Amino acid sequence: LFVAIIDAGSITAGARAVGLSLSSASSRIALLERQEGVELLSRRRGGIVPTAAGTTLAIHARALLERADELRQAMDGLRGDSAREIRLASNTSAVDTLTEFLAATLARFPTMRIAVVETSSVEVASRVREGGADLGIVSLPPTGDGLIARELWADPLVVVRGSVFRGDDVAPSFEEVMRGPLIGLPAANPLQTLIDEQARILGVSPAYRVRLPTLNAVYAVASTGAGAAIVPYGTVSRSPTLPAAIHPVAEEWADRRALLITRSTYVPSPAQQEFIDALLRYRDEVDVTEPLGVVILGSPPEQARRG
């Protein structure tokens, strides 16, 4: 109910979306606010907007609803034929390249159902190992037994800065970039969490001007000179926005490759195997480290040129 109200912008429309009366919905929201001891919704002339506490609740509520939907899909698969369904978990870095693959390929599989979940590499590996996902795409080699990993494509992180920055022909250090101004993803995003943790190891508190919901949005704003950003090179190579100064992140942890992981005991159906084969063929065709219509200033270090 709370998520429906946020999405609709009013208690009345949110209640209607979940099949409740206005009075019932209002009383439930009031009870929720009393239980949590915080105000969750702010009533304004244009409708309902979440407070800071409400925004936090909505983020976690959506995650819970997503997991509940995954559970329903898993149970549906046990009741019927799941041979033409693939549950695919991906880390944030691979989402743009994966989206391009799906856009180019999915029409060839008209009866295949693909459920994609975005989470951290560690969580992807956990889901695949525990049977919560059939396939996973990660940037960190999984630890422990029970998984098989195959290389997909290069996945290095790069610094994006607009042309208003002085010295764009000189690659900035990671520490310099993180001192801001910065354009980034939401704090809860797995890739952003990794970047921020590396900054804190250096004793730097990242200075963000704005946090945006997608990598494409982060790149687009950073390209204007509003701030620097750290994104996967796959995002840069596919962006339609104007070129910016692109430099590799010269840190060992930023030299990454996307890996396809499956359980060692996973036996795909013929349809699932056809989808996997298509993904591996796409891997052989794409090279995200080649500059595609962007200007790269400075020479990438050896680790960014490999693959």
Side-chain angles (χ1 to χ4, degrees):
L1 169 63
F2 185 76
V3 170
I5 290 172
I6 297 296
D7 290 342
S10 77
I11 295 179
T12 301
R16 186 183 305 118
V18 297
L20 290 175
S21 67
L22 175 59
S23 60
S24 178
S26 296
S27 63
R28 293 188 187 203
I29 293 300
L31 176 60
L32 183 59
E33 289 180 322
R34 289 197 299 272
Q35 288 176 338
E36 300 302 328
V38 292
E39 183 182 12
L40 299 172
L41 297 174
S42 177
R43 283 79 173 169
R44 297 183 181 177
R45 181 176 299 177
I48 294 292
V49 297
T51 63
T55 298
T56 299
L57 175 62
I59 291 172
H60 291 281
R62 291 184 195 280
L64 289 171
L65 292 173
E66 183 179 89
R67 296 304 296 269
D69 186 58
E70 292 175 28
L71 175 58
R72 284 193 296 271
Q73 291 182 22
M75 293 300 99
D76 289 343
L78 294 175
R79 288 193 296 271
D81 180 14
S82 60
R84 303 196 70 83
E85 177 181 272
I86 288 182
R87 298 166 299 162
L88 197 162
S90 173
N91 69 348
T92 303
S93 291
V95 167
D96 283 343
T97 306
L98 177 61
T99 300
E100 183 178 77
F101 161 73
L102 292 174
T105 308
L106 209 55
R108 292 163 44 193
F109 302 92
T111 61
M112 179 70 74
R113 300 186 303 275
I114 314 295
V116 180
V117 174
E118 178 184 346
T119 185
S120 68
S121 289
V122 173
E123 177 63 16
V124 169
S126 177
R127 291 191 182 206
V128 173
R129 182 179 286 110
E130 296 171 4
D134 303 308
L135 307 177
I137 300 180
V138 299
S139 294
L140 298 173
T143 58
D145 299 327
L147 295 178
I148 297 174
R150 286 173 280 189
E151 286 197 359
L152 287 177
W153 46 74
D155 189 34
L157 296 179
V158 297
V159 177
V160 177
R161 302 201 301 179
S163 58
V164 300
F165 282 85
R166 294 182 178 179
D168 275 338
D169 57 335
V170 179
S173 70
F174 173 69
E175 182 174 348
E176 289 172 339
V177 172
M178 296 310 289
R179 292 191 183 279
L182 286 167
I183 313 298
L185 293 163
N189 180 278
L191 176 60
Q192 196 63 67
T193 298
L194 168 67
I195 294 170
D196 292 350
E197 286 177 350
Q198 294 298 324
R200 293 188 182 100
I201 290 175
L202 297 177
V204 177
S205 180
Y208 288 97
R209 291 192 65 190
V210 62
R211 293 181 182 269
L212 298 164
T214 67
L215 286 167
N216 282 333
V218 169
Y219 173 72
V221 174
S223 296
T224 68
I230 294 180
V231 300
Y233 188 75
T235 298
V236 173
S237 66
R238 290 167 179 80
S239 175
T241 60
L242 294 175
I246 311 297
H247 301 285
V249 177
E251 303 283 339
E252 185 176 353
W253 58 267
D255 177 25
R256 295 139 51 100
R257 296 195 67 85
L259 305 171
L260 175 67
I261 60 173
T262 59
R263 292 185 303 281
S264 56
T265 56
Y266 174 58
V267 180
S269 69
Q272 292 169 339
Q273 185 60 56
E274 188 179 358
F275 179 86
I276 295 171
D277 291 342
L279 179 58
L280 295 177
R281 285 195 301 272
Y282 178 82
R283 168 201 65 185
D284 297 334
E285 296 169 358
V286 70
D287 183 355
V288 301
T289 61
E290 286 297 322
L292 304 178
V294 299
V295 175
I296 300 183
L297 302 178
S299 299
E302 183 61 29
Q303 70 260 29
R305 288 199 298 265
R306 291 200 304 268

